[in-house]
Amino acid sequence: GIPGTTVLLSRRPLLRVSGEVRGACAVGFRRPVILVSTGLLRELDDAQLHQVLLHECAHLARRDDWTRLLLRMIAAVAWVHPAVHWIAGRIDDEMEAACDQRVVAASGNPTGYARVLLDVAGFAARHQGTTLTLAPGSSARMPLMRSRIERLAAAADGQQGRGAGVAALGVSAALVGLAAGSILGIIAAL
């Protein structure tokens, strides 16, 4: 397990280090593993690494792995419909934001966490093409990283209230409903 995490998990993850991945990500369904790049371990201090691990544990606590699997299955069935891919991307964005909020709630330091994200993104960018990236929130999607940093900056400025998570959940639910309706329409047309 991962010591010192404040996130309660029904599925305790194992921590594994690999030179084959870029960044950090949670993988696996029944026996989850948090993979962390060996290079990232060298670049981050203990407090920064703890925030990265909290973020990945938040994905597991929220069962985002199962949500992503469902989204990928829907996208496979409705691969031709561009709205489905757009909606899946927005839901990925909101899952990252929700996990970021959990890290900030635990640390109380949105600016420090934003710096950690920038460090992780910089590491991933420097090692692009040499290792695998498995994490949707990594620098492989720079607009997502920018959005995450902007949300953290807004939280640091006190502009983002507690209702943001509820609003994000509402938007995600609406997008899932829209995707399901689109998929049913495509299936009916076949």
Side-chain angles (χ1 to χ4, degrees), residues 7 17 28 34-35 47-48 69 72 83 112 127 138 144 157 176 187:
V7 180
V17 179
I34 295 179
L35 292 174
Q48 293 170 318
L69 176 63
R72 297 314 175 257
H127 294 85
S138 72
L144 170 57
D157 290 342
V176 167
I187 292 171

Side-chain angles (χ1 to χ4, degrees), residues 60-82:
L60 294 172
R62 293 171 30 86
R63 299 200 178 273
D64 287 343
D65 48 347
W66 289 100
T67 302
R68 283 194 175 110
L69 176 63
L70 177 62
L71 289 173
R72 297 314 175 257
M73 290 170 45
I74 292 170
V77 170
W79 62 270
V80 73
H81 199 299

Side-chain angles (χ1 to χ4, degrees), residues 4-39:
T5 57
T6 58
V7 180
L8 296 176
L9 297 171
S10 59
R11 303 173 298 157
R12 291 204 167 273
L14 296 173
L15 179 60
R16 297 284 188 248
V17 179
S18 171
E20 302 296 318
V21 297
R22 180 172 69 233
C25 62
V27 296
F29 295 101
R30 296 187 79 202
R31 293 180 167 221
V33 172
I34 295 179
L35 292 174
V36 179
S37 167
T38 53

